[in-house]
Amino acid sequence: MEPRNVVEVGTRVRVADIAPPGHVRTPHYLRGRVGVVERVLGPFPNPEELAYGRRTTPLPLYRVRFPMGELWADAEHPGDTLEAEIYAHWLTIEEDPDAA
Amino acid sequence: MPHDGHDPLSPSGHPYRPDQDEPLTYWQCMEIAIRELLVEKGVTTDAAIRAQVQTMDDRGPAQGARVVARAWADPDFHHRLRSDGSAACRELGIEVGPMKLIAVSNTPDLHNVVVCTLCSCYPRNLLGLPPDWYKSREYRSRTVREPRAVLREFGTTLPEGVAVRVHDSTADMRYLVVPMRPDGTEGWTEGALAACVTRDAMIGVAQAAHPKSDGI
């Protein structure tokens, strides 16, 4: 997703499944998972650059909602949800599987 | 050593805490060096630093309880709190700080709980210093993995049909849970309502309850 293009609430997004070095604030357990944008925040400076004293271009920050069943195969209640803040450059728009 | 013998337990039956006799680490030396330079150059004073440390240590959950009590008493305030937590707190003279506050409200169908898996992000200006368990690896890893089991260990069993929502405080937001208002508190003053609001209820591991009726 182009970092500066803000996507709307309700957009399905996938967290990048990558493992870059450095100060990263995307938890491992969310990488590769699909959720829905719950709220658009920001723009906020990118902590991956801020942590090293670099100039940063502020990025949109999203609160993404994941069903627990998407995160854990043995979730006690798969319909329970988890929300986390993810910076725009970690997200790609995910096609809706139900769309014709 | 706090004791001369070899008895591993104090007279009260607890293990002695080891003395911290290790040499300073690199970053501890850096902190002391910078602090001394700031004092030497007159930027700040030792007394000002000590006072600021005490101010930080003195913060407690009372501010958060005030915010929740106002939200219970005033639905319009509750609405504003949910749309912009930091601005709503400012109405009460509470500055949340550089991070933004998101207030999430429990309902008869939804229970919210807050965790920071990456470190210990916490709304300190509203709740004070986080409890040790909030920073533990166990709480941080298990709350996102099996939140209902964690809640049960805190004595919080949710009624059938209540969904759980976990908030992982991964970046620039800080979270406050607005618990459900306890039954039988109609017409209470905000001060009386605030007494129902505990730190744990605002983290989401417990419910709000009438003072002295929480089973203790």
Side-chain angles (χ1 to χ4, degrees):
Chain A
M1 187 151 82
E2 181 56 41
R4 276 173 221 108
N5 289 349
V6 177
V7 302
E8 291 175 3
V9 170
T11 305
R12 279 166 56 84
V13 288
R14 183 182 292 275
V15 181
D17 191 7
I18 53 174
H23 179 80
V24 171
R25 297 208 61 93
T26 304
H28 272 273
Y29 73 94
L30 295 177
R31 298 184 191 176
R33 306 299 178 177
V34 174
V36 169
V37 172
E38 182 269 340
R39 198 182 299 212
V40 183
L41 307 160
F44 283 94
N46 180 358
E48 294 161 30
E49 294 174 339
L50 202 61
Y52 302 98
R54 295 191 199 125
R55 282 180 193 213
T56 78
T57 310
L59 293 171
L61 177 64
Y62 296 98
R63 295 196 75 234
V64 183
R65 179 178 298 168
F66 304 88
M68 288 300 253
E70 164 74 8
L71 305 180
W72 315 108
D74 59 350
E76 185 180 352
H77 281 237
D80 283 347
T81 48
L82 179 139
E83 296 180 356
E85 299 149 46
I86 311 285
Y87 293 89
H89 63 298
W90 275 85
L91 299 174
T92 50
I93 293 174
E94 181 79 3
E95 292 298 319
D96 189 338
D98 298 330
Chain B
M1 295 292 278
H3 57 113
D4 296 316
H6 300 283
D7 189 345
L9 295 182
S10 73
S12 62
H14 294 284
Y16 284 104
R17 202 170 158 159
D19 287 323
Q20 297 175 324
D21 290 334
E22 301 81 17
L24 294 174
T25 65
Y26 174 80
W27 293 110
Q28 284 171 324
C29 288
M30 287 291 276
E31 182 273 319
I32 293 167
I34 289 170
R35 174 154 45 88
E36 288 179 350
L37 280 169
L38 289 170
V39 170
E40 243 175 70
K41 290 178 181 292
V43 177
T44 185
T45 64
D46 287 322
I49 291 169
R50 187 211 55 75
Q52 184 59 34
V53 170
Q54 179 163 341
T55 302
M56 289 192 290
D57 285 351
D58 282 348
R59 288 182 302 195
Q63 300 282 50
R66 266 179 70 208
V67 173
V68 171
R70 172 65 61 88
W72 285 345
D74 179 350
D76 290 337
F77 177 80
H78 195 170
H79 183 77
R80 293 197 296 280
L81 181 67
R82 286 162 56 100
S83 1
D84 185 340
S86 302
C89 288
R90 222 167 281 129
E91 290 180 35
L92 302 186
I94 301 168
E95 197 49 59
V96 176
M99 299 303 175
K100 303 282 182 277
L101 183 76
I102 290 186
V104 290
S105 301
N106 290 346
T107 70
D109 306 316
L110 182 68
H111 183 89
N112 294 281
V113 58
V114 179
V115 62
C116 173
T117 53
L118 298 175
C119 47
S120 58
C121 297
Y122 192 75
R124 293 172 183 228
N125 287 10
L126 292 175
L127 301 188
L129 293 173
D132 284 347
W133 56 257
Y134 184 83
K135 299 181 277 185
S136 69
R137 187 183 294 275
E138 193 183 352
Y139 180 78
R140 292 188 290 124
S141 57
R142 291 184 55 220
T143 302
V144 297
R145 181 78 176 78
E146 44 177 12
R148 287 171 185 264
V150 172
L151 291 175
R152 282 193 292 270
E153 288 169 29
F154 278 99
T156 302
T157 305
L158 300 170
E160 196 67 31
V162 177
V164 170
R165 180 165 294 156
V166 180
H167 299 271
D168 189 355
S169 191
T170 47
D172 291 277
M173 302 295 124
R174 296 293 176 268
Y175 294 88
L176 177 76
V177 175
V178 180
M180 297 260 284
R181 179 172 174 163
D183 291 336
T185 57
E186 294 75 21
W188 286 25
T189 64
E190 284 183 31
L193 288 171
C196 302
V197 188
T198 60
R199 173 198 72 191
D200 289 0
M202 292 184 279
I203 299 173
V205 295
Q207 318 263 24
H210 288 202
K212 297 178 190 162
S213 72
D214 53 6
I216 296 169

